[in-house]
Amino acid sequence: MGISKDPIFVPGVWGPYFSAMVPGFWLNEGGQSVTGKLIEHMVQGHAAFPELQAKAAARCQSVYAYLNSHLDLIKKAQPVGFLTVDLHVWPDFHGNRSPLADLTLKGMVTGLKLSQDLDDLAILYLATVQAIAFGTRFIIEAMEAAGHSISTLFLCGGLSKNPLFVQMHADITGLPVVLSQEVESVLVGAAILSACASGDFTSVQEAMAKMSKVGKVVFPRQEDKKYYDKKYQVFLKLVEHQKEYSAIMSGD
């Protein structure tokens, strides 16, 4: 979601809607549908998932916390994101919401091997998280091309509790990511509206300033920028090639 003082029309992105989020500002909303379900689908559909479940349960961890620690174990001296140098994912398993607005698009994975061990599952999970972050970058670039100026990301919701998801968004977009002090930040939003309705504050902006606090800021690893720029080129090629395949199959 991005706000602006003046209405901005972005192809493939919803809005602009006046005062829909912050009174007096226009709102655009670009999103990727069911990203949490996509990660779950990729992880649970892998042959090594039963092994992952057992090992995570033995440590009293979630499967995602275990995968994050396993990635740190197998990355050795390189940055963790570099484990996907040969594995790339296009995340539109449920069609594209923004910025292409094309429900016919499908998911894609390139770089698979015959191996199906826990290392492969962890790397596929990482590539999927990266693909979602590349999708965010794709939306940001569309919004900026239309006139938005975006310098910071504010993350909330379930996936913002995953440190790998947060760091990949910072590294891939090149933007700092701000997390709320209150983990359940959506509840804070509801409380802000309630406080305004009850007359405790004279405006939403005043309530926001008083009731919400920055918890943590995650900065991008600038030294990894060249790698992610290359991965982003591949990301864009994936959908370009998918459209070419579709054109071939639908031709005479």
Side-chain angles (χ1 to χ4, degrees):
M1 293 185 177
I3 59 172
S4 57
K5 290 183 177 180
D6 299 309
I8 298 174
F9 292 85
V10 186
V13 172
W14 297 354
Y17 307 118
F18 186 64
S19 292
M21 185 168 72
V22 181
F25 286 84
W26 293 85
L27 172 72
N28 288 101
E29 181 183 350
Q32 302 175 76
S33 299
V34 293
T35 49
K37 183 64 177 178
L38 171 61
I39 295 172
E40 180 183 284
H41 173 76
M42 299 295 264
V43 170
Q44 294 187 3
H46 196 277
F49 180 65
E51 179 187 355
L52 169 64
Q53 272 188 309
K55 290 186 173 180
R59 289 192 187 178
C60 298
Q61 288 182 312
S62 73
V63 292
Y64 302 111
Y66 187 93
L67 285 171
N68 291 350
S69 63
H70 191 76
L71 286 167
D72 284 333
L73 184 68
I74 64 176
K75 71 181 179 67
K76 299 179 181 176
Q78 64 182 338
V80 68
F82 286 33
L83 287 168
T84 60
V85 64
D86 295 320
L87 186 66
H88 310 281
V89 174
W90 178 263
D92 290 335
F93 285 54
H94 195 59
N96 183 277
R97 178 171 152 199
S98 298
L100 301 177
D102 186 347
L103 58 81
T104 69
L105 289 176
K106 307 296 190 294
M108 302 172 72
V109 182
T110 177
L112 295 173
K113 303 181 295 181
L114 286 175
S115 175
Q116 291 186 311
D117 60 18
L118 192 54
D119 288 1
D120 294 296
L121 169 51
I123 294 170
L124 180 61
Y125 156 71
L126 171 61
T128 305
V129 170
Q130 289 175 335
I132 295 167
F134 283 121
T136 300
R137 176 170 169 172
F138 197 18
I139 294 167
I140 289 170
E141 289 186 355
M143 293 177 72
E144 289 187 323
H148 277 279
S149 178
I150 300 171
S151 59
T152 306
L153 295 181
F154 295 84
L155 260 60
C156 64
L159 287 172
S160 67
K161 300 174 186 178
N162 184 331
L164 179 72
F165 185 89
V166 175
Q167 188 64 59
M168 288 298 104
H169 268 75
D171 292 348
I172 285 168
T173 64
L175 301 175
V177 176
V178 177
L179 302 175
S180 172
Q181 186 180 72
E182 172 52 61
V183 176
E184 300 298 340
S185 51
V186 177
L187 296 181
V188 176
I192 286 170
L193 294 179
S194 300
C196 290
S198 64
D200 289 277
F201 297 102
T202 58
S203 69
V204 171
Q205 288 90 332
E206 181 190 1
M208 288 167 62
K210 295 286 187 179
M211 296 178 66
S212 60
K213 297 288 187 296
V214 172
K216 183 180 181 181
V217 181
V218 177
F219 293 95
R221 288 171 48 92
Q222 297 295 348
E223 62 270 30
D224 298 343
K225 181 180 184 301
K226 185 176 180 181
Y227 171 78
Y228 289 115
D229 285 347
K230 289 179 179 178
K231 289 247 336 160
Y232 186 56
Q233 290 180 49
V234 175
F235 179 80
L236 296 178
K237 283 288 185 184
L238 287 173
V239 70
E240 180 183 325
H241 291 168
Q242 182 177 159
K243 290 178 178 180
E244 290 177 4
Y245 305 154
S246 179
I248 291 170
M249 296 307 297
S250 62
D252 295 332

